[in-house]
Amino acid sequence: MIPIHNDTAAAMAAAGLVPGQSPAPLRLPQAATLFASRAARLRQLAEGHSLGDWLGFIATLSDAQQAVIQAAPSAAFPPAAQWQADLQALIGQLRSQVPEAALPTLEALALADAATLGALANRILGGTLDADDMLPAPFIMAAQQIAWTRHAASLEAASVAAPATAHSCPICGSAPVAGVIHVGTEAGGLRYLHCSLCHTAWHHVRAACIACGEGKDISYRSIDDHEDGARAEACDACHSYLKLLLAEKVPGAPNLDPIADDMASLALDILVSEENYQRIGINPFLLMGE
Ligand SMILES: [Zn+2]
Ligand SMILES: [Zn+2]
């Protein structure tokens, strides 16, 4: 057996991996860096992109999320209650940074009572948005992400049961934003599904549709004219699809962020939705109204 250097062992342990054992079923988020890394990735992807302004706006939001979680690394309440305090802190961070057109939305959120905010969050998380919910939605989702990510990061991976065919997040119950096919010696070729809310990743067997479990009727789509490493795994048994990000092929893959890279590959979603496949899970920053 090849001896493993202490630093490598420590890095593997931090990633939830144990040398010589099968890959971790669960990868918990790194709250100290996650949102700052996303902001950097979004700015990288925004250059020359048709959605560049929106990617840049979400980068500003991500930086503010990082500032909030750093200022309050532990929570006073469970995430379902804590997010409202995180929202107010987020608004405090954002007031001086958002375009003027976004200020009335921020001020309305700052003044809203807890019941109003709770009902708004339920509509957004439940996918039953009104037209008026579209403007506050990114801020609500950003606050929810802060609270749930802080919670997930505080857990021990070994204490969470994660079956290898879980189709929703073992920690918060959300559907995945995308699957990532990893590279490297430990997790190379494995598929992890990435939670859109608490940023936990969980291992899921490949070659089986995560919506219906069938493996016979799966095919893949990509945008032909450029290689961005994004594929749609489409299932003809249940007509759903999952976005897959192939770390081997994604340009700048060490910086890959499933939410950022999913946003930047929206053209692929348009392609497969024209074939009438339904997306599994949502991107919290690309929500559609009813
Ligand atoms: Zn989750
Ligand atoms: Zn299926």
Side-chain angles (χ1 to χ4, degrees):
M1 189 179 163
I2 303 164
I4 293 176
H5 191 270
N6 276 345
D7 290 349
T8 310
M12 288 172 69
L17 300 172
V18 179
Q21 292 191 6
S22 50
L26 209 64
R27 294 174 161 215
L28 296 173
Q30 304 288 323
T33 53
L34 186 141
F35 295 110
S37 301
R38 171 166 309 148
R41 179 60 167 168
L42 284 163
R43 292 192 174 102
Q44 190 180 26
L45 293 167
E47 276 182 45
H49 196 287
S50 58
L51 289 177
D53 288 350
W54 184 245
L55 299 176
F57 173 71
I58 301 301
T60 301
L61 196 53
S62 302
D63 279 333
Q65 287 175 290
Q66 190 68 63
V68 170
I69 212 164
Q70 236 138 273
S74 57
F77 304 104
Q82 174 67 33
W83 75 271
Q84 295 209 7
D86 292 326
L87 176 66
Q88 298 308 330
L90 188 71
I91 292 167
Q93 288 288 331
L94 284 169
R95 271 198 185 101
S96 60
Q97 296 176 47
V98 293
E100 210 169 317
L103 284 174
T105 302
L106 282 187
E107 296 313 328
L109 288 172
L111 295 172
D113 61 35
T116 304
L117 290 174
L120 175 58
N122 286 344
R123 289 196 299 279
I124 295 168
L125 291 168
T128 55
L129 288 77
D130 299 334
D132 290 348
D133 298 339
M134 298 299 280
L135 287 174
F139 305 112
I140 298 290
M141 290 306 293
Q144 291 272 349
Q145 284 185 335
I146 294 167
W148 281 101
T149 302
R150 184 196 290 111
H151 170 71
S154 74
L155 300 175
E156 294 285 336
S159 70
V160 183
T165 51
H167 51 71
S168 57
C169 174
I171 289 177
C172 75
S174 298
V177 65
V180 176
I181 308 296
H182 283 250
V183 287
T185 49
E186 281 301 316
L190 296 178
R191 169 164 75 175
Y192 281 83
L193 303 180
H194 286 254
C195 179
S196 59
L197 194 60
C198 77
H199 301 102
T200 294
W202 66 101
H203 176 242
H204 193 290
V205 292
R206 285 172 77 175
C209 168
I210 68 158
C212 73
E214 278 294 329
K216 296 193 300 289
D217 300 313
I218 285 176
S219 56
Y220 297 89
R221 307 285 188 285
S222 60
I223 301 285
D224 293 332
D225 57 349
H226 61 296
E227 178 51 84
D228 60 1
R231 302 277 184 278
E233 182 180 273
C235 174
D236 283 324
C238 68
H239 275 271
S240 56
Y241 78 95
L242 175 77
K243 179 91 56 83
L244 281 182
L245 301 163
L246 284 62
E248 184 181 41
K249 297 208 160 75
V250 172
N255 305 323
L256 186 159
D257 175 273
I259 287 183
D261 284 73
D262 175 48
M263 291 173 74
S265 55
L266 178 66
L268 179 57
D269 296 276
I270 294 167
L271 179 86
V272 287
S273 68
E274 282 168 358
E275 293 185 56
N276 289 320
Y277 292 103
Q278 295 290 317
R279 183 174 156 124
I280 297 166
I282 50 114
N283 188 304
F285 302 120
L286 290 174
L287 297 175
M288 303 291 164
E290 286 263 274

